[in-house]
Amino acid sequence: MGSINVLGVVFWCAVLMHAGYAQLSPSFYSQTCPFLYPIVFRVIFEASLTDPRIGASLIRLHFHDCFVQGCDGSVLLNNTNTIVSEQDALPNINSLRGLDVVNQIETAVENECPATVSCADILTIAAQVASVLGGGPSWQIPLGRRDSLTANQALANQNLPAPFFTLDQLKAAFLVQGLNTTDLVTLSGAHTFGRAKCSTFINRLYNFNSTGNPDQTLNTTYLQTLREICPQNGTGNNLTNLDLTTPNQFDNKFYSNLQSHKGLLQSDQELFSTPNADTIAIVNSFSSNQALFFENFRVSMIKMANISVLTGNEGEIRLQCNFINADSSGLSGGASKDELLSSF
């Protein structure tokens, strides 16, 4: 447990030393948009009153942004003549949620501070607010990102981890982003709230890896519960909680569920059930010490939010989050595509 604390300090130092981080600051908008955080908080709080899933959805949206050409708001871009949207990549199609809420935030921010705050920063702040509203940790958010002029659907298909990944595949996907094993276990803890569609885990229930049997790492009682929600020949669109214990609360119960073999996604249960894995000790530590999990979550979220950021004169400050400025002239609403049945 102590070694994880030490690792957290090492990771934090590595973040501070990153060149991009030096250009980001929690006080970046203190003069130009001093009420930015309350605006973001208000919009998400109001959305959460009718959509308890919005917090998990916004954290996932931030994750899916950062893992594809960095935390630059590229995931928010709609299809145009020049943009092939990441929203239609296989890990995103019919599953991204929160796009409309980001647009609502951006509209409110533009009314207060025109052409000042990037959509990439709005999404980064939104992820922190989502944690706080769920009962999770807060942290100072380094700001000053700029928005991309491009999206990369092919890279989204390549970089975003799948719910059926093995531990080795997960580690490789995180390593590409400069994130290590502790970051992997920590950031997976965001699955402490939210929902998932049957299609993301039904392979575990009936014919795991073409064996004709269910996944042996899945608790048998939990298996029967999930089979009732997800019949073998169903549509795959039914939803269930990622955390069966406290589904709307940001806490450490995700890790306790893994210890009981009640992780919903294969990629989550792999963290505990892969034989002799170095992730098992981290899962055990976080399960027994929520404060330790929260401490590491702060560090890993800041570290992830610094991946390949655009700063200074790079990119632009989008006036509408779904379009680069060259494409947004004459558009009045900037509405994102309709939000469809989602995974998280």
Side-chain angles (χ1 to χ4, degrees):
M1 189 178 304
S3 62
I4 295 177
N5 275 308
V6 173
L7 283 172
V9 174
V10 172
F11 298 159
W12 176 246
C13 292
V15 172
L16 288 173
M17 289 162 52
H18 192 288
Y21 184 91
Q23 300 181 56
L24 302 180
S25 169
S27 61
F28 188 85
Y29 298 110
S30 61
Q31 299 300 316
T32 56
C33 197
F35 298 109
L36 172 59
Y37 188 87
I39 292 171
V40 178
F41 192 98
R42 174 182 57 80
V43 174
I44 298 175
F45 174 75
E46 291 176 355
S48 71
L49 297 178
T50 55
D51 182 5
R53 301 164 56 197
I54 192 59
S57 298
L58 289 169
I59 290 179
R60 181 175 187 254
L61 191 60
H62 179 48
F63 180 97
H64 282 222
D65 182 37
C66 293
F67 265 55
V68 183
Q69 70 179 29
C71 306
D72 59 2
S74 62
V75 73
L76 304 174
L77 290 172
N78 286 358
N79 285 313
T80 68
N81 290 335
T82 59
I83 298 293
V84 180
S85 178
E86 294 169 18
Q87 296 166 27
D88 292 328
L90 290 176
N92 292 332
I93 193 166
N94 297 345
S95 71
L96 286 183
R97 303 181 74 251
L99 297 166
D100 288 352
V101 172
V102 173
N103 283 343
Q104 292 168 23
I105 297 169
E106 196 271 342
T107 298
V109 170
E110 280 295 306
N111 289 337
E112 179 74 20
C113 321
T116 300
V117 180
S118 70
C119 297
D121 274 344
I122 286 173
L123 188 51
T124 303
I125 298 170
Q128 188 258 33
V129 170
S131 170
V132 172
L133 287 176
S138 176
W139 57 90
Q140 279 203 322
I141 311 164
L143 299 169
R145 294 164 192 78
R146 305 266 292 180
D147 295 320
S148 70
L149 300 171
T150 62
N152 195 326
Q153 186 181 118
L155 197 62
N157 282 320
Q158 175 182 312
N159 281 6
L160 292 171
F164 51 80
F165 267 15
T166 65
L167 181 57
D168 285 343
Q169 290 173 312
L170 290 168
K171 287 184 175 183
F174 273 66
L175 186 61
V176 168
Q177 307 300 332
L179 300 173
N180 57 33
T181 299
T182 300
D183 297 316
L184 164 61
V185 180
T186 301
L187 293 172
S188 297
H191 287 171
T192 184
F193 61 177
R195 313 287 186 270
K197 288 196 296 187
C198 291
S199 58
T200 62
F201 59 87
I202 198 166
N203 64 306
R204 304 184 69 201
L205 307 185
Y206 300 98
N207 187 24
F208 184 63
N209 290 343
S210 301
T211 61
N213 297 306
D215 185 349
Q216 296 302 302
T217 68
L218 190 58
N219 177 281
T220 54
T221 302
Y222 190 38
L223 169 65
Q224 295 307 315
T225 299
L226 293 177
R227 282 180 166 179
E228 292 177 7
I229 298 169
C230 306
Q232 189 166 13
N233 297 316
T235 64
N237 288 327
N238 290 346
L239 292 166
T240 193
N241 297 321
L242 282 161
D243 179 348
L244 77 165
T245 309
T246 52
N248 296 320
Q249 183 75 16
F250 195 103
D251 54 26
N252 66 336
K253 296 299 187 292
F254 166 81
Y255 301 102
S256 304
N257 294 335
L258 299 185
Q259 292 173 319
S260 302
H261 298 278
K262 295 178 180 178
L264 184 64
L265 305 180
Q266 177 188 343
S267 55
D268 289 337
Q269 192 61 52
E270 289 276 337
L271 303 177
F272 185 78
S273 294
T274 300
N276 303 313
D278 54 356
T279 53
I280 296 173
I282 306 174
V283 169
N284 290 337
S285 294
F286 289 168
S287 175
S288 63
N289 189 337
Q290 180 167 281
L292 180 63
F293 164 49
F294 281 10
E295 174 188 337
N296 279 269
F297 193 78
R298 293 183 185 100
V299 172
S300 291
M301 284 294 286
I302 293 172
K303 187 176 179 181
M304 182 182 74
N306 193 46
I307 295 173
S308 300
V309 296
L310 302 176
T311 58
N313 295 320
E314 299 172 313
E316 66 181 10
I317 302 297
R318 285 187 213 139
L319 302 180
Q320 294 176 307
C321 288
N322 301 120
F323 302 96
I324 62 172
N325 292 338
D327 290 336
S328 65
S329 58
L331 296 174
S332 58
S336 64
K337 65 170 62 178
D338 291 340
E339 294 187 15
L340 305 173
L341 287 173
S342 71
S343 292
F344 299 94

